Amino acid sequence: MSLEVLEVSGLATIQDVGRNGWRRFGVPTSGPMDTFAFQAANALVGNAVEYAALEIGLGDTTFQALEDCVIAVTGAGYKLSVYIWDFPLWSSFFVRAGWKIHFNKVEAGLWAYLAVTGGIQTEEILGSHSTYLRGMFGGFKGRQLQAGDVIRTGNLSHLSPEIAARTIAPEAVPAYTQNPTIDVILGPQTNDFTDESLKTFLSSEYSVSLTSDRMGYRLEGPALTYCNKTELISEGMTVGSIQVPSNGQPIVMMADCPTTGGYPKIGTVASADLPVFAQCVPNKSRIRFRETTVARAQKKYRELMSGLRNSILEED
């Protein structure tokens, strides 16, 4: 089974759940920017959660099926057409050999995911198929996809109508919006910021900068200030960490974030809200932050992910 890349005007890479267990050696996790949409795409075509899929972002992309296959497309910010028909996202479809699959970028949202029954097949690097662009390894030759690439997929074990005609219940999909209120857990360097800065952070609007990428989303808004100029010894970071450099503009660490950093961290984005945050469009979104607790954040994430596979609807 295989797909050919015909056109890429944005960023298309191969991602799986990420490269876990290597951060202590300085290797980022990588994986999808929108973990919910990624897992939903795999669920729709009957794949295990760890199977690799295609992440499409920032521009138009076109593929051609070289053999019959079943695909699912999820995410936000794209209009999907297959052959001569338009299809909704968050659904699975049967695609015949020779049909073209078009992703056309629209305004609201940034990332879409294409999963194929059987998963995307590439060489595993450090236990993962995920592409790490800065390290130039994983995925397809360690780089983004380009026209002419042929992507191999797993053996198709079933082409049942049920697999090829599924959708995710709308109420199970995160409330993607360009004006979200994002839950954050304050710390660990909260005391390094003035009381006024903490109030500002939790009461102001921020937008995503055009200089953002898979490593981190740079925010633009009211500047935050430190209590003193003492430098922080570099320490571990994770996806969602919110660093604040000396210019006072927060940076939210994303899928390809480095494993350590030396700027004070005012908080961490709750995992349940990272999918919505990842889909915020630079210069258009208006983001607010709201304090939460670890317990509430964990409960929210469990509720988001636990019902995913139970939310799959099959056409009659």
Side-chain angles (χ1 to χ4, degrees), residues 270-290:
S271 296
D273 283 357
L274 275 170
V276 173
F277 181 77
Q279 298 285 5
C280 288
V281 176
N283 278 2
K284 293 184 179 180
S285 300
R286 294 294 178 264
I287 302 162
R288 288 184 175 271
F289 295 100
R290 175 178 58 199

Side-chain angles (χ1 to χ4, degrees), residues 119-133:
I120 303 298
Q121 301 296 305
T122 63
E123 179 185 3
E124 282 193 357
I125 303 295
L126 301 180
S128 172
H129 300 283
S130 283
T131 307
Y132 176 42
L133 294 173

Side-chain angles (χ1 to χ4, degrees), residues 192-246:
D192 287 354
F193 297 89
T194 64
D195 291 342
E196 187 62 32
S197 286
L198 289 175
K199 293 177 183 177
T200 297
F201 178 67
L202 294 173
S203 63
S204 303
E205 283 188 346
Y206 288 86
S207 62
V208 178
S209 168
L210 289 170
T211 60
S212 301
D213 58 19
R214 276 183 48 90
M215 184 173 74
Y217 278 14
R218 296 178 180 272
L219 302 184
E220 296 176 340
L224 308 178
T225 57
Y226 308 146
C227 293
N228 55 62
K229 295 184 179 180
T230 302
E231 291 187 6
L232 178 69
I233 296 174
S234 291
E235 62 180 22
M237 289 197 305
T238 188
V239 177
S241 296
I242 308 171
Q243 281 195 319
V244 182
S246 57

